[in-house]
Amino acid sequence: MMRIAVKGIGVTGGFGCGVADLAAALKGGISRVSEITVPSAQGPLQMPAFRAETERLDEFVPKRALRRIDHYSKMGLLGAYLALADGGMLGSDLSRLGVVVASGYGATATTFAFLDSIIGDGDICASPTHFANSVHNSAAANISIMLGAKGPSLTVSQFDMSVPSALVSASQWLAEGRVDAVLFGAIDEVSDLIGYLQHRQRGPQRACPISPLSTGEESSIIGEGAAFLLLTRKDDSLAYCTIETVDTGSLYQEELSFPDDALLLLGADGRRELGARYRATVPGHSRVACYTSIYGSMPAAAAFDLAAAALILQNGRVYPIPGAAGCDMDGIPVPLETTRICALKLAGINEYAAVTLSRLQLP
Amino acid sequence: MDIKNKLKKILVEDLNLEELTPEQIDDNAPLFGEGLGLDSLDAVELVVLVQKHFGIEIKDMEEGRTAFQSVNALAAYIEGRLAQ
Amino acid sequence: MTHPWPIAITGLGCICAAGTNLDDCMETLYSGRRAPAAPTRFTSSHPTRYPVFEVSGFNEPPELLRTSALGLHAVRDALADAGLDLETLRGLRVGVCVGTTVGSAMNNEQFCRDYRAGLDPDLEPIERIMRSNPAAVIAREFGLTGPCQTVVNACASGTDAVGLAASWIRGGVCDVAIAGGADELGRITYNGFISLMITDDSPCKPFDRNRKGLNLGEGAAMLVLESEETRTKRRSRARSYLLGYGSACDAHHLTAPKPDGEGLRYAIAEAFSCCGISAEAVSFVNAHGTGTPDNDRVESLVLADLLPGVPFLSTKGYTGHTLGAAGAIEAVFTIACLERGMIPGSAGFSTPDPDLGGTPVEGSTKVEGMVALSESLAFGGNNSVILLGTRGAA
C-alpha cells in the first residue's frame, strides 16, 4: 500500500476539544465522564456517558449557518474544521479534497426525532427537516457545504468496523490520485436510544472507569464525539506519522499476525465479550496499550485510537494506560517508546482490522 | 394570540431563527430569499408546521408559493382556509 | 500499486418490482409494463395514497431485514452468473461493498413507539438491525474474508459502491468484489419523501412536463468485479467492463441539486478520464431521472451540454426510486441494454418540457456502440457516475 501521511488532527469528545486537550488527557490518563438521564419504563435512568461539546464551532462558522444543523453534524463539522486548521489547510483550495465520514449509528437523536414527529402528530406531520438530517450522509454533506469541498464524498456505516472500512476506500482515493487530501473522520452520538440500549443490553452502569482488558467484567461507558484526520500522500513535509497498511476483513480459520516491533493499540472498550476476544487474539508476548477509557465506547472510538497513535508516534513516547490496574493484561508491561503502532479493532465473532502506523523518519 | 403572532413564534422556534425574536419579524418581509432567508427545505417544513398548528393541509408548492410570500400573506391564507 | 482501468464485471444479479431476476426485469422493461400501486406491506394515515413499486412474492426470513435479504437474493444470482461457487470463493480474497439508505439505520418505528409509550420494548427489532448490516450479511453468508463496506451516500450509494469496489480491485485490496445496493420500502422513507413534497401521487413521469415527483421502490442489484489475475487463473469471462467512475459533491444544499449541475459535471468528467473515453463513444445514458422537478431539470441540462444528442432514459418509471439500490439496479440494466443493443422507452414520459435540455427515448430504441453511462444524484449533493462497456469495449 502507498504510504499516507497524517497531517492534521481534529477531535471533540469527553476529554475536551482539540488535539491539545486529547494529548493532555492521554498524558494525565483522565477524562471527564458526565451523567445523562435516559427515559425508561422504570422511570428516568441515570448513567455515565462521555459527552462532546461543540461550542468552539463559533470560531469557524456563523451561528446562523448552524440553525438547522443537529448535534451529530455539529460534532463532525467541528472535528473537520479543527483537523484542517491543525493541518494548516484552513482557507486553502479544497477542490482536490475528499471527505470521508465513518459512523456506527449515524444521527440517532434526529432519527428518533423524525419518528417522534410521526408518532406525535400522525404521518402527515412527518418533519422533512428531521428526515433530511437523519439520512446517514448528512454530516458529510454539511461538512462539504460549509467548507465548499467539491471533491468526492463518502459515508460508511459498518457498525464497529466503520472506521477501518472507510479507511480502505480513503487510502485508495489517495493512491489513485483522485484527490490530494482526504478529510477522514468518524462521528458517533449519545442519544436516548443509545443510552437506553446500553442499559438494556449491558445492565446497570457503575460509576467506575472503563477497564477494557480485565476479565469477565462489563465496564463499558458510552461515548460520543468526532475524530478527524487530515490525510495526504506521504511527502517530505512534516506530519504526525504515516499510515503504512490498512487490513480489514473476517477471520475463519486464519490467525492474525502482527509486526514484531509494533505496539498493539487495542480497541477494547469494556464490553465483556469484546475484552475476551482481544485476550484470545493478542499474542502473549505483545506490547499493548489501550486508551478507550479517555473517550468511551462507540464505533467512532477507532478513529480516536488513530489520533492517539498519531500523537504517540509524533513524539515517540507511549502514554501510560489509564487506570492501569484494571488494564493489566497478564502483567504485560507497557513500553515507554515505540516507532510503530498497530491499531487493532475487533468486532463481532470474526471481524478484524489492523491499521499499521509508523513514526516519521526524520532526515 | 392572533394568527400573525402565532406564526412568528412558530417561525422563530420551529425553524430555529435563534437570532430573531418574534417581534422583530416584519409582517410584510419576504420569508424566502432576502428577507428571512428561508429556503426550499424550510418551505416544506413550514407546510408541516401549518398542518400541525392550524390543521390546514397545503397540498402542493404551487399553493404554498402564494401563501408563503410573507407573514401577512400566510396569515390571510390561513384565515381564508379556516373560514371555509 | 494501482492496476489500470478497466475492471472486469463477471456476474450480475437483480431483483426489483420489474422482476425477481435480470431476464424477467428486462422483459418487463422492453414490454413497457409497470404497475405502481398503494403500499400493501405497510399502512399510512396520510390522506393521499402514494403509489410505490413493491417487490411482490418475496419474503424475507424473520431474522433479517428485508433490505439484506433482497441483497442476498441478488448476490446469489450474481455469483451464479460469474460461476463462483462456495469452494472457489473460499480460495479468494473477496470484498463486499454495498450501498443502502435504510439497511444500517437504527430506525425501528414500533420499537420507538413502545419506548416512547413508557414500555420496555422487545430488543429483537434492534438486534435484527445489528445483525443485518447489508455488506456484513453477504460476507457472513458466503464466508468471505475481504473488507466489508456499507456505503450510505443516500441515493447515490449503489453507484458509489460499484465505483469504490473497482478501486479496491485496482489497489489489490481484494481479488473479487461483490458490489451493489439494496433497499426496502417502509414507512420511514415513505413518510420522509412525502414530507419533502417530491413524491408523485400518480405513476412517476421522469423528464415529462407534468412530472410531480418520484415514486419509491425497493430492490437490490449486485455485480461481481474481478481482478485480471483472478480471471486469468480461473479462466472466467468478462461479461462487461467498468470503464470509469467519477464522483463529486455539489457543496450546495442538503436536499436540492445545484442548479448548474456543477458536481454532476465534475463526476462525468472524472469518469471519462479513467479510460480516456470521449463523449462521442457513449451510446446512451441511463439517467438518474427520479421525476422530481429539480432533479430532471438539472440532469437534462447537464446532459444536453456534455452529451448532446446522446439518447437517454430513466428506468425509474419501471422500478420506482429504489434509493440506495438504484445506482446498482441501473448499472445492471445498463449492461443488459448494451448486450441487447436496445434500450426501453423512458416510462412515464409523454409531454416534452421546454425547460429541460431534451427528451428521453419513447418506446424501445435500438442503440449502437459499446459504452454507456449511468448516473446518480443524491441528497447532500452527491453526484456519482459510472461508465460501462461491453466485452469488446476494453
Side-chain angles (χ1 to χ4, degrees):
Chain A
M1 193 186 104
M2 178 209 60
R3 287 197 295 169
I4 292 169
V6 178
K7 289 281 176 71
I9 296 175
V11 283
T12 180
F15 51 83
C17 186
V19 68
D21 281 4
L22 176 61
L26 286 166
K27 201 171 173 195
I30 41 166
S31 189
R32 194 184 60 236
V33 185
S34 317
E35 193 165 78
I36 58 165
T37 306
V38 174
S40 84
Q42 292 76 43
L45 291 170
Q46 309 277 314
M47 65 169 72
F50 293 91
R51 300 306 302 269
E53 293 189 348
T54 58
E55 273 72 30
R56 283 190 60 192
L57 252 188
D58 293 349
E59 295 171 25
F60 305 104
V61 191
K63 221 180 174 69
R64 176 75 196 251
L66 298 172
R67 76 181 164 89
R68 222 163 36 197
I69 294 185
D70 60 18
H71 180 58
Y72 172 81
S73 275
K74 278 182 186 166
M75 290 190 289
L77 269 172
L78 181 54
Y81 273 105
L82 289 169
L84 277 182
D86 188 48
M89 264 188 80
L90 201 58
S92 308
D93 172 19
L94 300 179
S95 59
R96 302 257 316 148
L97 176 86
V99 174
V100 176
V101 172
S103 179
Y105 306 119
T108 51
T110 300
T111 302
F112 253 42
F114 176 73
L115 288 172
D116 286 340
S117 70
I118 297 175
I119 293 167
D121 302 292
D123 291 358
I124 201 167
C125 288
S127 162
T129 308
H130 286 327
F131 180 64
N133 279 301
S134 72
V135 176
H136 263 107
N137 68 335
S138 61
N142 282 319
I143 290 168
S144 293
I145 292 167
M146 293 287 180
L147 293 174
K150 294 177 180 175
S153 169
L154 168 65
T155 303
V156 170
S157 178
Q158 199 64 40
F159 297 135
D160 273 342
M161 300 311 270
S162 301
V163 170
S165 173
L167 192 54
V168 171
S169 292
S171 310
Q172 290 310 314
W173 286 5
L174 288 166
E176 290 175 295
R178 289 191 73 193
V179 294
D180 292 334
V182 175
L183 195 47
F184 175 88
I187 317 166
D188 269 302
E189 178 183 39
V190 164
S191 61
D192 281 359
L193 174 69
I194 297 297
Y196 178 71
L197 288 178
Q198 174 77 0
H199 170 73
R200 286 288 302 277
Q201 293 174 321
R202 310 251 156 214
Q205 297 288 296
R206 304 167 305 145
C208 59
I210 296 179
S211 315
L213 304 175
S214 69
T215 38
E217 290 281 319
E218 175 67 41
S219 67
S220 61
I221 295 174
I222 52 175
E224 70 172 8
F228 276 69
L229 305 175
L230 181 62
L231 307 175
T232 65
R233 284 179 288 277
K234 167 87 180 70
D235 55 22
D236 293 334
S237 65
L238 215 56
Y240 283 96
C241 66
T242 58
I243 297 176
E244 309 277 324
T245 60
V246 182
D247 178 23
T248 175
S250 303
L251 296 165
Y252 292 88
Q253 279 88 38
E254 319 76 3
E255 281 195 10
L256 285 175
S257 60
F258 307 101
D260 281 340
D261 61 340
L263 171 77
L264 294 187
L265 179 52
L266 308 183
D269 61 3
R271 282 179 285 173
R272 195 172 56 83
E273 72 288 359
L274 195 60
R277 226 194 119 200
Y278 275 97
R279 296 183 76 86
T281 305
V282 174
H285 61 275
S286 313
R287 303 179 303 150
V288 302
C290 181
Y291 303 111
T292 43
S293 57
I294 300 291
Y295 23 87
S297 175
M298 58 178 151
F304 287 89
D305 285 345
L306 297 178
L311 282 169
I312 292 171
L313 292 167
Q314 185 191 31
N315 55 34
R317 305 281 295 174
V318 180
Y319 301 107
I321 300 183
C327 295
D328 179 39
M329 191 147 158
D330 301 328
I332 301 166
V334 177
L336 296 174
E337 296 183 344
T338 192
T339 55
R340 192 184 294 268
I341 291 177
C342 177
L344 177 64
K345 180 83 182 165
L346 301 174
I349 51 164
N350 66 348
E351 293 164 68
Y352 78 93
V355 179
T356 317
L357 307 96
S358 284
R359 185 169 160 82
L360 225 53
Q361 302 296 318
L362 294 175
Chain B
M1 196 185 291
D2 70 357
I3 290 181
K4 273 187 223 173
N5 285 324
K6 192 171 170 185
L7 276 175
K8 289 179 188 178
K9 192 163 171 285
I10 291 168
L11 286 171
V12 168
E13 287 177 5
D14 292 347
L15 298 182
N16 297 322
L17 301 171
E18 284 169 8
E19 77 285 11
L20 282 181
T21 62
E23 296 73 38
Q24 286 172 313
I25 297 178
D26 182 341
D27 289 359
N28 286 310
L31 300 181
F32 295 88
E34 301 298 303
L36 282 188
L38 303 183
D39 68 5
S40 59
L41 185 50
D42 295 306
V44 286
E45 190 69 34
L46 202 48
V47 168
V48 171
L49 292 170
V50 168
Q51 169 75 45
K52 191 168 145 184
H53 293 279
F54 300 97
I56 291 169
E57 187 188 1
I58 298 174
K59 280 235 161 66
D60 58 53
M61 266 304 150
E62 289 305 313
E63 227 177 303
R65 240 182 288 280
T66 335
F68 291 166
Q69 304 267 343
S70 63
V71 169
N72 263 341
L74 184 52
Y77 174 83
I78 291 171
E79 275 164 8
R81 288 284 302 264
L82 288 174
Q84 279 172 19
Chain C
M1 177 181 67
T2 304
H3 297 292
W5 290 98
I7 298 299
I9 297 167
T10 57
L12 304 175
C14 178
I15 177 169
C16 63
T20 54
N21 63 59
L22 181 54
D23 285 342
D24 286 358
C25 288
M26 295 318 292
E27 201 206 314
T28 304
L29 265 59
Y30 290 122
S31 72
R33 280 196 310 269
R34 61 172 186 160
T40 63
R41 298 188 55 255
F42 57 87
T43 58
S44 169
S45 62
H46 211 284
T48 310
R49 279 156 62 93
Y50 292 84
V52 295
F53 286 83
E54 282 179 346
V55 176
S56 57
F58 179 85
N59 294 309
E60 66 279 10
E63 70 274 12
L64 280 186
L65 287 180
R66 185 172 173 85
T67 298
S68 313
L70 287 165
L72 274 180
H73 179 96
V75 171
R76 286 197 190 94
D77 278 4
L79 289 175
D81 187 31
L84 282 165
D85 55 23
L86 278 177
E87 200 186 320
T88 315
L89 286 170
R90 219 164 284 147
L92 296 165
R93 185 158 170 86
V94 183
V96 186
C97 193
V98 179
T100 189
T101 63
V102 303
S104 67
M106 301 289 274
N107 212 342
N108 185 278
E109 187 180 347
Q110 193 55 50
F111 182 88
C112 181
R113 275 180 191 276
D114 291 349
Y115 176 53
R116 292 301 196 212
L119 304 172
D120 270 333
D122 184 1
L123 291 185
E124 171 53 23
I126 298 293
E127 285 164 356
R128 186 186 305 127
I129 294 170
M130 296 300 294
R131 76 172 89 88
S132 292
N133 181 280
V137 162
I138 294 165
R140 204 162 59 222
E141 177 75 14
F142 299 97
L144 309 177
T145 57
C148 262
Q149 189 159 115
T150 297
V151 174
V152 283
N153 274 6
C155 305
S157 303
T159 301
D160 282 318
V162 173
L164 291 163
S167 87
W168 293 2
I169 299 279
R170 295 187 68 212
V173 172
C174 49
D175 307 316
V176 170
I178 296 170
D183 252 324
E184 71 192 76
L185 275 164
R187 279 175 43 77
I188 313 255
T189 40
Y190 183 77
N191 284 316
F193 278 92
I194 292 170
S195 79
L196 286 161
M197 300 183 88
I198 50 172
T199 309
D200 197 333
D201 57 8
S202 58
C204 64
K205 300 173 272 295
F207 300 110
D208 188 274
R209 191 169 75 183
N210 301 313
R211 69 191 183 280
K212 290 196 285 185
L214 54 80
N215 300 148
L216 285 174
E218 64 179 355
M222 296 290 164
L223 297 82
V224 175
L225 277 59
E226 219 167 310
S227 74
E228 288 307 305
E229 293 93 308
T230 311
R231 241 165 43 75
T232 310
K233 229 180 282 171
R234 72 177 198 96
R235 298 200 190 113
S236 60
R237 62 102 173 80
R239 179 164 180 178
S240 168
Y241 280 95
L242 187 61
L243 301 165
Y245 164 55
S247 69
C249 186
D250 281 342
H252 171 68
H253 190 269
L254 196 56
T255 52
K258 194 155 185 262
D260 65 2
E262 189 186 12
L264 181 58
R265 289 168 194 271
Y266 285 147
I268 291 174
E270 191 186 10
F272 277 135
S273 72
C274 296
C275 274
I277 285 175
S278 63
E280 293 74 50
V282 177
S283 57
F284 69 93
V285 174
N286 191 347
H288 190 53
T290 54
T292 67
D294 283 350
N295 176 85
D296 292 5
R297 185 174 52 252
V298 171
E299 209 181 357
S300 69
L301 292 173
V302 169
L303 288 178
D305 204 9
L306 300 183
L307 293 149
V310 176
F312 68 93
L313 79 156
S314 165
T315 53
K316 289 195 173 64
Y318 299 101
T319 62
H321 189 355
T322 57
L323 306 179
I329 290 175
E330 286 152 26
V332 167
F333 286 172
T334 301
I335 293 168
C337 288
L338 277 171
E339 288 172 343
R340 290 160 172 82
M342 174 92 81
I343 53 176
S346 195
F349 171 79
S350 58
T351 315
D353 181 344
D355 290 342
L356 297 193
T359 56
V361 295
E362 290 181 80
S364 291
T365 306
K366 273 197 171 145
V367 286
E368 285 178 4
M370 296 188 285
V371 179
L373 184 148
S374 180
E375 60 190 27
S376 298
L377 286 71
F379 267 19
N382 284 46
N383 301 274
S384 304
V385 170
I386 48 176
L387 275 170
L388 296 150
T390 55
R391 214 175 312 174

